[in-house]
Amino acid sequence: MLFVWDGSDAPPPQLLSELHTEKENPLPLQLEPQPLAREALCKFPTIGTILRVSVDQKNVKLNISSVSAGRWIKFINLMFKVHEGLWCGVLTSSTKVRFLPNEHLVILERQRLVIHMLSFFWCMVHFDLVNIMYLRFVAVSLSNLHYCMVCVIVINIKRLYICFIRNFEKRLSSKLDQMPFTSFPWPCRITEVDDKVEGVPLVTLMDVMTYPQVTGKYKCIVRVVAALPWTIQDFRSPDGTYRIRLTLEDPTGRIHAYLFAEDGEVFFEGNPPMDALIRKWNTLLGVAEVDSGGVIENAPRNPPWVLCCIKSYYVDKNDVWGSRKYRIFDTKLVC
């Protein structure tokens, strides 16, 4: 299994899975047969999309026997597809692998491209400044236009290099830049979080999964891609207690998060009428509806990006990491 980070957020695909099959065929949290160890996850970047590429060890043409973590390789004729709502690489009969040194021009170009993608919007302002500076050069000396253009290009590169480095670090530390790019300018406002969690950091799901402590509170911008149980009538136990497992995703990963008891009461604002609850729930999961309110059968789902609070905890003090769970708290569904 190889992982390729493209430095940006790939557009999330629409989901073709059917909600009523979640119990028998749950939407996977990852494409790997077994969950990756936390030590491996901690090596991943916490922003951008990580693309999975499956490698067939029997395919000797790929020359993958010496592939090791951290080594640069170049895929030739690599295709991508959506599997279980996740982007993954597809190796074809024409796929080739080439090993590259760290100093290879392609690697240096990719690294520069990554930083450029992360700082695109901020750089546009500086392009305007450079254009103005160029016009001033031309107005001063038309006879030395070539020299003026070289000066502008040098200034342009210097400005971009500085802004690339600054904005790469900025996205890692900035509140807004922890948001998926595809959720800009802000996530869908169908959820609200309590004012008392104002100080809780906004992070990605990879930040949550690799947090150095088992317990913690976070705010995340995610999509709800599945639920168990899927029928609204089964959200509560016979004694009236909410008990729901949600599958949340962002460009960095997926987790299961629970709505239980009083957290469910807060999320649904008590026990709303069934028609209002169905409408809210369909909006949250991106279920396609007709104008009359009915559901379009077999239509792909496109869940919106929403803001929610997530708490990590453990259920067994003798195995805190192995029994780690997540739940949603202090979040309301207000659509």
Side-chain angles (χ1 to χ4, degrees), residues 281-297:
W281 195 242
N282 287 343
T283 301
L284 181 66
L285 272 72
V287 176
E289 295 181 328
V290 296
D291 294 338
S292 59
V295 174
I296 302 177
E297 295 294 335

Side-chain angles (χ1 to χ4, degrees), residues 222-237:
V222 297
R223 305 196 311 162
V224 181
V225 294
L228 185 68
W230 72 277
T231 52
I232 297 176
Q233 293 81 0
D234 296 329
F235 283 178
R236 289 184 170 218
S237 63

Side-chain angles (χ1 to χ4, degrees), residues 244-248 255-259 310 326-328:
I244 310 168
R245 188 191 75 185
L246 303 181
T247 304
L248 310 180
I255 66 170
H256 287 149
Y258 295 86
L259 272 172
I310 299 173
Y326 306 99
R327 69 178 179 89
I328 296 176

Side-chain angles (χ1 to χ4, degrees), residues 14-17 286-289 295-302:
Q14 291 188 334
L15 296 159
L16 300 177
S17 61
V287 176
E289 295 181 328
V295 174
I296 302 177
E297 295 294 335
N298 300 321
R301 295 184 290 110
N302 189 21

